[in-house]
Amino acid sequence: MNTKTKVRFCDGVYSYFILTKRFYELSHDAQHEIQRNYLWYWASFFLKETLRGLQKYGYTKELRFNKSDLKTFYPFMDKKYRFCYHFPRIYGFPKKLRLWFMRYFSAKQ
């Protein structure tokens, strides 16, 4: 049974966004380079998780953040995540389609 509703899922994505934002702020305030790199590593990790979470519902009201809030992280995104930033629902579609075809053809055999 799947108990993860849309609101709970969006709360999880929002928590990833808050963690990204906090680690990003802490990385700018860090005094040592090792600390700065460590904090930036975790900020980029949670940014990727935030963008992966956006693929399911896109930018909705339940997220409690919008595209302009993520704009501060835009220069630090990889190219594939920049596309996900602009079009989150389209980014995940080819993977869903590929998985559906794989399940369909494996069921036929």
Side-chain angles (χ1 to χ4, degrees), residues 71-84:
K71 193 172 188 172
T72 57
F73 307 114
Y74 187 77
F76 307 108
M77 292 180 199
D78 295 336
K79 289 184 181 182
K80 68 179 189 176
Y81 290 108
R82 287 183 181 187
F83 184 76
C84 183

Side-chain angles (χ1 to χ4, degrees), residues 25-77:
E25 291 168 355
L26 288 173
S27 70
H28 284 293
D29 295 339
Q31 296 173 351
H32 302 289
E33 177 118 15
I34 295 171
Q35 283 180 329
R36 199 173 306 124
N37 291 339
Y38 179 76
L39 292 168
W40 175 243
Y41 169 79
W42 284 108
S44 64
F45 173 79
F46 287 119
L47 177 63
K48 291 175 187 175
E49 292 299 318
T50 303
L51 292 171
R52 286 185 190 126
L54 283 174
Q55 293 176 11
K56 189 165 186 177
Y57 295 112
Y59 295 105
T60 60
K61 292 179 186 176
E62 290 88 2
L63 281 177
R64 295 181 285 185
F65 68 92
N66 54 21
K67 195 174 185 179
S68 63
D69 295 333
L70 282 175
K71 193 172 188 172
T72 57
F73 307 114
Y74 187 77
F76 307 108
M77 292 180 199

Side-chain angles (χ1 to χ4, degrees), residues 3-12 57 60-62:
T3 59
K4 197 153 197 168
T5 62
K6 181 179 180 179
V7 175
R8 284 189 60 201
F9 184 82
C10 290
D11 287 344
Y57 295 112
T60 60
K61 292 179 186 176
E62 290 88 2

